[in-house]
Amino acid sequence: MIDIVASGKFACFTRAETPSDRLTYPIMTPSAAAGLLSAIFWKPAIKWEPREISILRPIQYHDRKTKELQKAPTASNPLPKRTLRHTRMLKDVAYRIKAGLRLVGYGKKEAKGKYFGQAQRRIDKGQFFSAPFLGLRECYAEFRNATESDMPIDRDLDLRLFLGWNYEAEDQEAEPVFFNASIRGGTLRISSDQYDRIYPK
């Protein structure tokens, strides 16, 4: 099991039901945690399975408005069209992530310990495959090994949370998968069975 702390000045784990404005979930989603771990260590033979996500700092929000490109310029319309977009982000965040992994493809014939070891060595050295972020690429994340002093805040939440995308049907678009998340004592726990809904068996 990998056990790390990821932190940053800002984070935005966008709710799938609010496409026009970016409104964040109050906690890091399993999908975002898996993406952060993949940024640190990625191999086609593995899929990360975050099992616990703990909130280490009080939940605080930050609102901003930005002008974003709505339509790219074309030969017939050379002037780009921009729109004003509202974003509700989290600020001053830190999460403790405990994660296992699932072997897929050719990796099913290999040992998990091999990949855990490679990932742990990269974490120890502060190295990464691509720059890790917290939901949005502009929300850069720092990471380190977790310690006993990294304790969650005392917060209980119940919400419907985004788990990931189901790409199983080749002739159809990917479908978003949600689950009923129960956060107790600042910690969200996800069973390995939940990931059967989005990862190849």
Side-chain angles (χ1 to χ4, degrees), residues 92-110:
D92 191 23
V93 299
Y95 303 98
R96 184 171 182 172
I97 304 166
K98 296 182 181 180
L101 56 80
R102 177 174 300 210
L103 299 176
V104 296
Y106 68 82
K108 292 180 180 179
K109 299 178 180 179
E110 301 187 13

Side-chain angles (χ1 to χ4, degrees), residues 185-199:
T187 297
L188 167 66
R189 293 178 174 84
I190 313 105
S191 68
S192 181
D193 293 344
Q194 289 279 15
Y195 292 101
D196 290 341
R197 302 165 64 193
I198 59 173
Y199 288 160

Side-chain angles (χ1 to χ4, degrees), residues 3 23-24 37-38 51 67 69 85-86 88 90 118 123 138 144 153 157 165-166 181 185 191:
D3 188 2
L23 302 180
T24 185
L37 288 164
S38 295
R51 303 287 178 75
K67 283 187 177 181
L69 191 66
R85 194 169 187 185
H86 170 244
R88 167 157 282 194
L90 296 162
Q118 292 176 0
I123 292 166
E138 63 197 78
R144 59 171 173 81
I153 64 173
L157 291 167
W165 294 93
N166 181 355
S191 68

Side-chain angles (χ1 to χ4, degrees), residues 151-176:
M151 300 297 292
I153 64 173
D154 185 15
R155 185 73 182 267
D156 295 344
L157 291 167
D158 292 293
L159 65 158
R160 189 163 176 78
L161 202 61
F162 177 66
L163 180 67
W165 294 93
N166 181 355
Y167 294 95
E168 197 170 55
E170 295 182 0
D171 58 340
Q172 299 179 8
E173 292 185 3
E175 295 182 351

